[in-house]
Amino acid sequence: MSDQTSQGLWQLSIDLPSERGANRQVTDELLNQLGAYGWQPADVFAVHLAVEEAIVNAIVHGNKLDASKKVHVECEVSADRVRVAITDEGPGFDPASVPDCTAEERLEAPSGRGVMLMRSFMTSIEYNAAGNAVVLEKVRGPADS
Amino acid sequence: MPTHKRIDVSKVGDVTVVKFVDRKILDEAGIQELGAELFSLVEHDNRRSILVSFDNVDFLSSAALGKLITLDRKVKSVQGRLKMCNIRPEILEVFQITKLNKVFDIRGEEAEAISAF
């Protein structure tokens, strides 16, 4: 893991093993940094939820818990913006193919809500063309800056 | 009386009140245990009026939502009643985004929820 702070920007780059719970340390460190930069609890919750869902998706659905594959995570935090890029070594997926979990017939499905929650809680989320990398960004709103 | 690791269970009148032990519900193994303990209330203990209180909970992942949905189904399948209360605003927002607020019977404080059974 490499981790540095310069000119008001904290950055971290790390490769995670494809095992459940492997993201705990990086997530905790990211949340600590958000707190240190003065982000409000509601925004910290939002980033936590989105990053948790994205990394778990990469480990479980992308790399399928394959011990020979890594999940690469890059984080940047400043006082007004957070950016997290997550890349797995799986074949990728088409995010547009994920069914709408709020459709009447899907409301009670036990899974399939992660991508919608990421989109709702972040300012932007973008997948690459292959669908094995996602960039999550949140810009701090004027109400709490 | 079964021993629970992930939930605290008490009774208020006929209502079984369930509280979560963990403030953050995100660990996969913990969520599996949580699900098993919640489902056993219905399937083995025959509880029919269940109030799930979130007053200890700061965070939960979408995997935990799946367990709550399955619990709701199990309770409804035996003509029981499930309500939820004491949900912090950020988690309530999760329920609203996913429209689970239309599936679950969500109340405010515990006393209000119990009186609604």
Side-chain angles (χ1 to χ4, degrees):
Chain A
M1 178 162 78
S2 73
D3 157 33
Q4 63 175 21
T5 303
S6 67
Q7 296 183 333
L9 184 70
W10 173 79
Q11 294 175 298
L12 176 145
S13 176
I14 187 170
D15 284 323
L16 301 176
S18 295
E19 56 191 48
R20 295 186 191 278
N23 57 315
R24 194 64 51 237
Q25 188 184 353
V26 65
T27 306
D28 287 348
E29 183 56 29
L30 174 64
L31 300 182
N32 284 341
Q33 292 294 332
L34 289 169
Y37 277 94
W39 287 66
Q40 297 301 304
D43 283 335
V44 175
F45 177 95
V47 174
H48 186 185
L49 187 70
V51 170
E52 180 77 24
E53 299 290 339
I55 300 182
V56 169
N57 279 352
I59 291 173
V60 176
H61 301 301
N63 287 352
K64 300 195 183 308
L65 296 166
D66 181 342
S68 70
K69 295 178 177 175
K70 303 287 187 195
V71 172
H72 184 65
V73 180
E74 292 183 9
C75 306
E76 291 179 2
V77 177
S78 68
D80 57 8
R81 194 180 72 102
V82 55
R83 177 184 186 276
V84 182
I86 297 151
T87 306
D88 64 55
E89 297 180 37
F93 78 111
D94 177 7
S97 69
V98 178
D100 179 2
C101 66
T102 63
E104 195 66 35
E105 70 278 8
R106 297 276 315 165
L107 263 189
E108 296 190 43
S111 61
R113 293 176 179 79
V115 174
M116 167 169 273
L117 289 169
M118 283 187 256
R119 288 196 192 286
S120 299
F121 278 106
M122 300 301 280
T123 306
S124 71
I125 82 165
E126 283 189 27
Y127 285 89
N128 66 350
N132 71 327
V134 63
V135 177
L136 310 171
E137 277 195 289
K138 190 167 187 68
V139 176
R140 201 160 152 185
D144 61 10
S145 59
Chain B
M1 193 69 184
T3 304
H4 298 111
K5 284 170 62 182
R6 301 292 173 181
I7 54 175
D8 287 327
V9 179
S10 59
K11 287 271 278 184
V12 178
D14 292 333
V15 179
T16 297
V17 179
V18 179
K19 296 187 179 181
F20 299 98
V21 170
D22 300 308
R23 301 196 75 86
K24 294 184 178 183
I25 304 172
L26 44 71
D27 162 57
E28 172 67 22
I31 289 172
Q32 292 302 330
E33 284 183 344
L34 173 65
E37 291 179 11
L38 289 172
F39 305 158
S40 78
L41 294 174
V42 184
E43 295 172 334
H44 296 111
D45 303 346
N46 297 314
R47 311 285 182 125
R48 295 294 179 262
S49 297
I50 299 176
L51 174 62
V52 175
S53 172
F54 286 75
D55 57 354
N56 293 327
V57 180
D58 293 332
F59 183 89
L60 84 174
S61 69
S62 68
L65 295 179
K67 299 302 180 190
L68 295 174
I69 291 164
T70 303
L71 174 67
D72 188 60
R73 281 182 173 175
K74 288 181 185 294
V75 171
K76 285 174 178 167
S77 74
V78 293
Q79 285 75 52
R81 287 178 296 174
L82 173 69
K83 300 181 193 299
M84 301 179 189
C85 69
N86 285 338
I87 302 174
R88 61 178 284 178
E90 292 85 357
I91 294 176
L92 201 54
E93 193 178 351
V94 169
F95 288 150
Q96 288 162 345
I97 289 166
T98 54
K99 296 193 178 172
L100 288 173
N101 57 329
K102 295 182 177 184
V103 176
F104 299 146
D105 185 351
I106 295 173
R107 305 285 172 154
E109 300 291 321
E110 183 174 318
E112 177 208 333
I114 287 173
S115 67
F117 275 92

